[in-house]
Amino acid sequence: MSDMLGHREDVDRVLIDEKVIEKRLDTMAEEIDREFPAGPILAIVLLKGAFVFAADLLRRIPRPLEIECLNVASYHGGTESSGSVKFLDHVLPDVKGRHVLLLDDILDTGRTLKAVADRLMLDGCAAVHTGVLLAKDKVRAEDVQADYVGFEIGDEFVVGYGLDYQGLYRNLPFVGVLKP
Ligand code: 5GP
Ligand code: MG
């Protein structure tokens, strides 16, 4: 318990409360279920950041659904995107002819979603539909948008609900901003 408090003591302010996230996920799941073509969905979850968001979102989608995870790294422990996207898996999921729901935690420069979506299209998937919990309101390095966005936020570094700073804070149940 004291550990948990210590964890939260590093947080300057809560940006999006747990209850607010849960309500938004209900709506997003309905949208996805309504708009996605008939048939099983192949969800591809970008690790590690999107695992909490994906777990909560996908359990709200009441239809046949397969889940694959991809390990990508787009920055290296700091608070700025590095500009290059690395695929860390030896084998990528078979996406041929599939409609993919690609999930990431946050859309920042857009490089990650663009690189992964391009790769999935090269691998022959039918279409990539993208979903993010958060999208930063900024001019992106890559001209990409997500089809499903949980929340638009300002251009600041956030943690919690899957998002880390140097590996920590992913388990915070809310999205927040750290003390400087
Ligand atoms: P992009 O490729 O769009 O610049 O960045 C996407 C990735 O950068 C995300 O998957 C996430 O790992 C990381 N990222 C971008 N902004 C933030 C942020 O505010 N907080 C954290 N923790 N990670 C971020
Ligand atoms: Mg990440």
Side-chain angles (χ1 to χ4, degrees):
M1 199 58 202
S2 61
D3 205 20
M4 190 64 188
L5 285 172
H7 208 178
R8 288 191 190 216
E9 267 164 24
D10 297 344
V11 174
D12 187 43
R13 71 205 137 84
V14 174
L15 211 61
I16 312 167
D17 183 62
E18 192 177 5
K19 288 273 173 295
V20 176
I21 296 175
E22 285 173 358
K23 269 193 94 174
R24 179 70 188 114
L25 294 190
D26 286 342
T27 319
M28 277 178 95
E30 274 170 29
E31 268 175 48
I32 291 167
D33 191 35
R34 191 174 347 111
E35 293 172 5
F36 232 79
I41 295 175
L42 174 58
I44 295 190
V45 182
L46 297 186
L47 298 178
K48 305 173 193 129
F51 86 102
V52 177
F53 164 53
D56 284 350
L57 177 72
L58 297 177
R59 280 180 297 169
R60 289 170 158 81
I61 301 178
R63 68 146 110 177
L65 192 149
E66 290 168 68
I67 303 176
E68 296 281 356
C69 296
L70 268 189
N71 260 291
V72 295
S74 56
Y75 72 109
H76 309 283
T79 58
E80 297 286 337
S81 184
S82 72
S84 71
V85 178
K86 267 199 204 140
F87 289 80
L88 304 175
D89 300 288
H90 293 293
V91 181
L92 299 182
D94 181 8
V95 295
K96 268 191 199 62
R98 303 294 302 271
H99 278 263
V100 170
L101 175 62
L102 176 62
L103 297 178
D104 202 4
D105 49 2
I106 185 165
L107 181 57
D108 183 16
T109 65
R111 289 192 182 102
T112 306
L113 270 194
K114 171 99 172 55
V116 178
D118 285 355
R119 177 59 195 261
L120 297 176
M121 289 310 289
L122 265 181
D123 290 349
C125 89
V128 185
H129 313 252
T130 50
V132 291
L133 176 70
L134 307 168
K136 286 188 186 173
D137 183 16
K138 68 191 280 186
V139 177
R140 303 193 202 293
E142 295 290 344
D143 184 21
V144 290
Q145 287 179 344
D147 300 306
Y148 306 97
V149 175
F151 303 92
E152 294 258 0
I153 62 168
D155 189 10
E156 60 185 336
F157 189 81
V158 296
V159 297
Y161 204 76
L163 293 112
D164 74 309
Y165 175 63
Q166 297 190 338
L168 294 174
Y169 307 106
R170 294 192 198 276
N171 57 326
L172 289 174
F174 52 80
V175 173
V177 178
L178 290 175
K179 288 176 182 162

